[in-house]
Amino acid sequence: MSEFQPKIIVFLCNWCSYAGADLAGVSRYQYPTNIRTVRVMCSTRVSPDIVLELLKDGADGVMVSGCHPGDCHYINGNYYTQKRVELAQRLLKMTGLEPERMRLDWISASEGEKFAHVVQEFVTKLKELGPTPVKKDEKLVTRLQAAIDASRYFRLKVLTGKEINLTTKGNVYAETLKIESLEEIMAQAAEDEYRNSLILQLTHSKPCSVKELAKEIGEPTDKTLEHVVSLRAKNMLALDHIEGSTPKYKAILIGGA
Amino acid sequence: MSEEKLRVGVFICHCGTNIGGFVDVPAVVEYAKTLPDVAFATGNLYTCAEDGLSNIRNSIKENNLNRVVVAACTPRTHAPLFQSTCEDAGLNKYLFTFVNIREQCSWVHMKEKENATEKAKELIRMGVSRARLLQAQEEVQIDVIPSALVIGGGVAGMSAAISLADQGFPVRLVEKQDTLGGFVRNLGYVWQERQEALTALKTMIDRVKSHRNITLHLGSTVVSADGFIGNYEIVIETKGKQKRDNVGVIVVATGALEYIPEGLYGYELYDNVVTLTEFEILAKNKKLPKMSSIAFIQCVGSRGQDKSYCSRICCNVTLKNAMNLADNWQNMLGLEEGGKAAEGVSVEKAVPDEIAERRRGRRGRREGGAEEAAPGSGPKLDIAVFNRDVMSYGVEHELMFNKTREKKVRFIRYTPQNLPKVSLENEKLTIDYWHDTLQLQRKMTVDMVVLATPLVAQPDAKEISKMLKVPLGQDGFFLEAHVKLRPVDFATDGIYVCGTCKGPADIPEAVEQGLAAASRAAIPLARGYVQPESLVAFVDSDVCSGCGTCIEVCPYNAIRKTENGLAEVTIAACKGCGNCGATCPENAILMNHFTDNQLLAEARAALEEVKE
């Protein structure tokens, strides 16, 4: 049996990292054949849902690479890259898939050697972790789908997009937030949105009770009840039927599945 | 949206053996034929050569191709060529996909042909998946500000500035020193006609100073440069004062420094051990010590000793100085007046030039270039050149090498395993060396040792590289877009490079490069507009909720709210980074040519086999 060869998707920004990868070639730095690169104009283009989709689809690892902070061809695109990657990793952690399966690196156009080194390092790491468990774990796929939904959801996107202004310029009332408190809000929001999305995912195909949901999510029943109530208030979840004395809920699908 | 059936053509390049030697191209071609919607697939020896390009053009027409995939080198150098080839055959250039199987495959997997071949197949599968989703795009034209910034006032920068200014474009020339001339100011004589370097430079400097199209900023640095081809906003700082301006193009000509041979051959330990440039400065200022023997040591700190590269020019510079010394040493050492020997010179009697010349001529004829001059035959200067091999490249220089040998300059070869040693014995500089021809350990006492050290990159090249977002190579020199095909362009449009900041060069080469960079930079300036790629964001007003998050993240203020409160992209200002697209909370922003679907399809194609 041959050694496990991880399949890695690498997003490279056109200006720094793609050029860095080219330089690795021009300089003939040899590295393993495991990576498949996708060129984007800026690393900021890679939204968390794209990364999560690929991990759900069976990539053993996903790497995003852009210009060094302060060097972004698009001024500060890579600042947002970092925020997006942090969010993706935060959500990954909640799904139970190793967050190390996604990594972010700053690689400049002159860092051919670093590119080869980073690839080698990531391949070694993924070989340690072994093949992605998604193919054998349907529940993990459901959780990843919930993470994708959460990352595409309005609240997390707004928080990621407005971070700089909220912490520096302030909101319309000129109130600025401390970066730490925003981090806290972000962490809470990610958790809430992920759980809401997971409830919707779980109740998608078959109605579930609060107790069943709480067990699946791994949190106290009263916490889950809060999410169920808030989802019902948003008209995203409906009471399907009552089994004995237990209400069972089902996600409301808008515009088909 | 086109209703026609997809017909993808795949062109796979051997690039001679660059790809063909490490990837089984015929197998990849066969594989490509099996991919969905691929109507045509072929291999080319060199896809970028004319027959490769005409093959693309003909195949598009013959096979009614409506998508083209080229698997070859890197889109960073060759995409425009293949895109225009597609356009020649009537195919919108946005229906073309580039797959990199050289820089990111064959060159980095040179020892595993089988795996490299598999990877190439998958990369092409990814490219085809992307190509199938591509849409034709129209491009807009953006005006170019017809002025240039040249950074560096050495011979390369001055040549570029004069050329651009002569073509009628206003030029800002920024030099961090207080004088023009750069490295060449150090030099005593320039080659051939033994003209003083500064005299040769003066014509150029006067031209720069008096040119009405050149604004000179001495003692200044460029502290920031933002923007893109046609419109760079630059800030020049002069002694704390900042000046803002907009220019269309930037030429980088920041030059190089000489390597300081710390700890090598007694440098800084003994007086009279100097670098080649220091020797030139001493010679220029008539400050050379009185001496009767001198040794040059070549390749100090270069070719593997510290720096890996050969600095190219030092052999010729040493030949120039050896030749000058041989011909003109009395003058150079200040011995020319009245035949009076200066103190400390072991000459019996210094003689007037013409007599010395006659004597040398006689000796040369009599001995036919033999090793030693006959004792008692008058004053002389012994010149020895310790070398690994003399690389007197160029048409003139090899002849000069021969002439120098005729002048009885001794060329002594050493190997990297047996470096000569410089020490002080009985107050005399002594070179201990292994004579390769005689197979003997020999000693030579000399009055001066000159170390030929390489040119090295400027330390501030790093900052300029960061500021302009242009790459440096391993040795810290700037890296051109393509070593052969685009030697004075950077990969970033609108920025050009010339002179020793991209590697050691002599004066004519630096001038050539300066002129070349100027002629490249003049293209967008003369045309007056650029047509940037149509990689812009598009807001779907049916989905947009007007939250304004995209406006906050856009680094170019390219998104504004319309009267009905929804977002709209200003195409000329949008640079297609995709920040808004990834941010939009309603997923209402589509990134032209890099849509979510295109990216996902490309990446997912790599995972297909994993799923099986």
Side-chain angles (χ1 to χ4, degrees):
Chain A
M1 174 108 184
S2 59
E3 193 196 8
F4 159 62
Q5 291 298 340
K7 184 65 69 74
I8 305 167
I9 307 290
V10 180
F11 289 97
L12 299 174
C13 82
N14 184 59
W15 305 99
C16 289
S17 304
Y18 196 91
D22 277 352
L23 183 60
V26 173
S27 325
R28 309 295 196 278
Y29 291 121
Q30 304 294 298
Y31 57 77
T33 56
N34 305 61
I35 61 159
R36 302 290 177 264
T37 50
V38 176
R39 186 172 66 104
V40 288
M41 294 314 282
C42 179
S43 57
T44 198
R45 172 72 190 87
V46 187
S47 47
D49 55 295
I50 291 182
V51 174
L52 295 167
E53 284 275 3
L54 294 171
L55 287 170
K56 190 195 80 177
D57 288 349
D60 293 298
V62 176
M63 175 176 144
V64 178
S65 178
C67 313
H68 284 266
D71 277 358
C72 180
H73 186 83
Y74 300 99
I75 303 176
N76 61 354
N78 52 3
Y79 173 86
Y80 291 97
T81 307
Q82 176 148 17
K83 295 295 145 195
R84 293 191 221 293
V85 168
E86 279 169 12
L87 175 62
Q89 280 173 333
R90 214 189 277 274
L91 290 165
L92 264 188
K93 224 176 263 177
M94 288 187 261
T95 66
L97 186 68
E98 301 94 335
E100 297 95 320
R101 290 191 185 273
M102 105 150 283
R103 70 179 278 172
L104 169 67
D105 285 280
W106 307 130
I107 294 169
S108 80
S110 57
E111 292 177 325
E113 194 172 5
K114 180 176 176 187
F115 180 80
H117 174 75
V118 163
V119 170
Q120 179 66 61
E121 199 178 84
F122 197 27
V123 169
T124 310
K125 178 77 202 168
L126 289 169
K127 281 185 177 171
E128 273 169 40
L129 288 175
T132 174
V134 293
K135 281 166 250 171
K136 291 183 191 136
D137 188 347
E138 263 180 52
K139 285 187 176 171
L140 179 58
V141 175
T142 310
R143 290 199 296 275
L144 279 167
Q145 187 59 51
I148 293 165
D149 294 346
S151 77
R152 287 177 72 86
Y153 194 59
F154 196 93
R155 188 171 167 206
L156 295 185
K157 286 224 164 186
V158 168
L159 278 172
T160 316
K162 290 192 187 253
E163 184 185 296
I164 291 184
N165 285 347
L166 282 175
T167 51
T168 55
K169 289 187 201 152
N171 63 8
V172 286
Y173 307 108
E175 298 164 332
T176 49
L177 264 176
K178 272 193 191 141
I179 187 92
E180 300 82 39
S181 35
L182 191 73
E183 287 278 308
E184 243 172 70
I185 294 171
M186 193 71 200
Q188 191 56 51
E191 207 176 308
D192 286 348
E193 296 310 329
Y194 168 71
R195 291 204 170 140
N196 283 347
S197 303
L198 187 52
I199 291 173
L200 293 177
Q201 274 298 317
L202 292 168
T203 55
H204 200 97
S205 43
K206 78 174 173 59
C208 300
S209 68
V210 173
K211 215 174 202 172
E212 284 164 345
L213 288 170
K215 195 178 158 218
E216 203 62 52
I217 299 171
E219 65 174 2
T221 322
D222 56 340
K223 213 68 189 123
T224 307
L225 185 62
E226 275 176 31
H227 294 306
V228 168
V229 170
S230 91
L231 282 170
R232 286 197 68 185
K234 288 182 196 159
N235 262 334
M236 296 169 95
L237 196 69
L239 180 66
D240 190 71
H241 64 278
I242 296 175
E243 225 171 76
S245 60
T246 314
K248 296 256 192 173
Y249 299 94
K250 197 169 189 319
I252 296 172
L253 297 179
I254 301 162
Chain B
M1 191 130 319
S2 115
E3 292 293 318
E4 62 180 338
K5 194 180 172 317
L6 285 171
R7 294 181 64 81
V8 185
V10 184
F11 299 85
I12 302 164
C13 189
H14 284 76
C15 194
T17 56
N18 280 306
I19 296 169
F22 311 98
V23 166
D24 183 352
V25 175
V28 178
V29 172
E30 285 314 306
Y31 174 77
K33 286 179 182 165
T34 67
L35 292 168
D37 297 328
V38 171
F40 179 80
T42 185
N44 296 102
L45 187 55
Y46 288 103
T47 312
C48 61
E50 186 41 45
D51 60 337
L53 299 177
S54 59
N55 182 250
I56 295 179
R57 284 189 287 262
N58 296 338
S59 305
I60 291 174
K61 288 175 188 153
E62 285 162 17
N63 300 287
N64 288 323
L65 301 177
N66 50 25
R67 299 289 185 281
V68 166
V69 175
V70 171
C73 44
T74 170
R76 287 179 57 85
T77 56
H78 281 66
L81 178 66
F82 296 128
Q83 283 175 330
S84 67
T85 307
C86 288
E87 283 183 324
D88 291 347
L91 192 70
N92 185 285
K93 71 180 206 185
Y94 291 90
L95 300 175
F96 161 82
T97 299
F98 208 119
V99 177
N100 184 333
I101 58 167
R102 192 181 73 178
E103 276 83 346
Q104 297 184 14
C105 189
S106 69
W107 277 355
V108 287
H109 311 307
M110 298 176 95
K111 290 178 193 124
E112 34 186 344
K113 190 166 183 174
E114 209 172 297
N115 290 338
T117 304
E118 280 314 302
K119 178 172 171 182
K121 286 181 185 173
E122 286 193 22
L123 290 172
I124 289 165
R125 188 167 73 215
M126 292 165 71
V128 171
S129 289
R130 172 176 167 76
R132 292 165 69 209
L133 296 176
L134 292 178
Q135 298 290 327
Q137 310 286 343
E138 296 304 321
E139 290 183 339
V140 294
Q141 289 184 353
I142 294 178
D143 290 344
V144 168
I145 298 169
S147 64
L149 165 70
V150 176
I151 310 175
V155 285
M158 286 195 290
S159 306
I162 292 170
S163 168
L164 284 165
D166 280 351
Q167 294 175 66
F169 303 112
V171 178
R172 287 195 185 274
L173 179 59
V174 177
E175 166 59 49
K176 71 177 169 189
Q177 309 285 345
D178 291 325
T179 48
L180 288 169
F183 197 88
V184 177
R185 287 189 80 84
N186 295 325
L187 307 186
Y189 293 96
V190 290
W191 196 241
Q192 296 286 329
E193 65 275 30
R194 217 184 283 143
Q195 193 181 17
E196 269 196 53
L198 268 179
T199 317
L201 270 179
K202 199 171 174 300
T203 336
M204 205 181 249
I205 292 176
D206 288 349
R207 211 55 219 294
V208 168
K209 284 186 173 164
S210 62
H211 210 299
R212 65 192 173 95
N213 280 342
I214 298 179
T215 313
L216 194 53
H217 299 265
L218 289 174
S220 308
T221 49
V222 179
V223 288
S224 87
D226 292 315
F228 54 97
I229 181 169
N231 195 344
Y232 285 100
E233 194 184 323
I234 55 164
V235 179
I236 300 168
E237 193 173 289
T238 313
K239 295 174 185 80
K241 268 198 220 149
Q242 294 202 336
K243 162 101 192 133
R244 267 169 202 284
D245 196 15
N246 291 292
V247 295
V249 294
I250 299 175
V251 176
V252 178
T254 51
L257 297 173
E258 70 158 345
Y259 175 85
I260 305 301
E262 273 173 35
L264 294 175
Y265 302 106
Y267 182 77
E268 283 180 339
L269 205 59
Y270 313 126
D271 298 338
N272 289 5
V273 178
V274 296
T275 65
L276 202 46
T277 311
E278 288 166 349
F279 173 82
E280 293 237 3
I281 293 169
L282 289 173
K284 183 180 69 169
N285 299 334
K286 305 263 185 225
K287 291 273 173 61
L288 283 175
K290 310 307 173 207
M291 57 184 157
S292 63
S293 55
I294 184 167
F296 292 85
I297 302 179
Q298 298 302 105
C299 303
V300 175
S302 58
R303 297 178 70 197
Q305 198 171 19
D306 177 5
K307 302 290 173 186
S308 59
Y309 54 91
C310 164
S311 186
R312 302 171 75 235
I313 58 168
C314 0
C315 280
N316 289 340
V317 177
T318 294
L319 290 178
K320 170 188 81 177
N321 283 307
M323 184 82 171
N324 270 345
L325 279 169
D327 277 353
N328 204 26
W329 61 279
Q330 282 140 318
N331 187 344
M332 287 175 78
L333 299 184
L335 299 175
E336 75 283 14
E337 278 168 40
K340 200 167 68 188
E343 227 176 298
V345 180
S346 58
V347 288
E348 292 157 350
K349 184 173 164 257
V351 291
D353 275 358
E354 61 271 26
I355 296 175
E357 189 62 41
R358 283 180 63 199
R359 284 179 185 173
R360 268 199 298 275
R362 275 207 303 276
R363 279 203 303 278
R365 276 201 304 282
R366 198 166 64 225
E367 296 164 14
E371 280 243 340
E372 296 285 333
S377 63
K380 63 185 175 64
L381 177 69
D382 281 335
I383 306 169
V385 178
F386 288 87
N387 63 85
R388 281 172 61 180
D389 29 31
V390 175
M391 301 207 196
S392 50
Y393 74 99
V395 179
E396 299 292 330
H397 300 152
E398 185 69 12
L399 291 175
M400 203 52 101
F401 177 33
N402 289 336
K403 275 192 197 159
T404 319
R405 289 164 68 177
E406 281 166 18
K407 304 274 181 187
K408 298 164 63 56
V409 171
R410 283 202 286 164
F411 287 87
I412 301 164
R413 194 151 181 188
Y414 73 87
T415 59
Q417 292 76 34
N418 256 327
L419 297 177
K421 284 183 190 66
V422 176
S423 59
L424 207 58
E425 281 182 26
N426 305 322
E427 302 291 304
K428 284 286 262 180
L429 277 175
T430 305
I431 302 179
D432 220 329
Y433 66 99
W434 174 256
H435 198 298
D436 219 33
T437 321
L438 298 176
Q439 289 287 302
L440 280 174
Q441 193 70 29
R442 300 284 301 264
K443 261 185 199 178
M444 176 192 283
T445 56
V446 290
D447 295 318
M448 183 171 223
V449 174
V450 182
L451 306 177
T453 62
L455 284 183
V456 292
Q458 293 269 12
D460 59 3
K462 258 187 201 145
E463 281 151 43
I464 290 169
S465 147
K466 273 188 183 173
M467 179 178 73
L468 299 176
K469 291 155 199 125
V470 292
L472 294 175
Q474 258 180 300
D475 294 303
F477 292 108
F478 285 105
L479 204 65
E480 62 282 80
H482 191 286
V483 66
K484 294 183 184 72
L485 302 177
R486 294 175 64 194
V488 295
D489 295 359
F490 276 118
T492 308
D493 289 341
I495 310 181
Y496 308 86
V497 60
C498 57
T500 51
C501 65
K502 71 187 274 283
D506 64 12
I507 296 170
E509 285 164 347
V511 172
E512 276 163 20
Q513 290 176 20
L515 296 175
S519 77
R520 292 291 293 160
I523 294 173
L525 297 182
R527 190 197 276 155
Y529 69 90
V530 285
Q531 203 162 311
E533 290 181 276
S534 177
L535 311 174
V536 292
F538 172 78
V539 181
D540 184 345
S541 55
D542 288 344
V543 186
C544 176
S545 66
C547 72
T549 315
C550 53
I551 298 173
E552 292 191 32
V553 300
C554 178
Y556 301 105
N557 291 324
I559 311 180
R560 59 189 184 89
K561 264 191 190 177
T562 57
E563 283 166 14
N564 51 15
L566 302 180
E568 192 180 76
V569 176
T570 313
I571 289 174
C574 175
K575 306 208 169 59
C577 65
N579 200 343
C580 58
T583 299
C584 178
E586 302 287 8
N587 304 302
I589 297 181
L590 183 85
M591 295 310 304
N592 266 353
H593 209 55
F594 283 94
T595 65
D596 276 10
N597 283 345
Q598 287 162 358
L599 293 181
L600 275 171
E602 186 178 354
R604 276 186 177 133
L607 302 174
E608 274 168 22
E609 267 181 1
V610 178
K611 272 186 171 169
E612 283 162 13

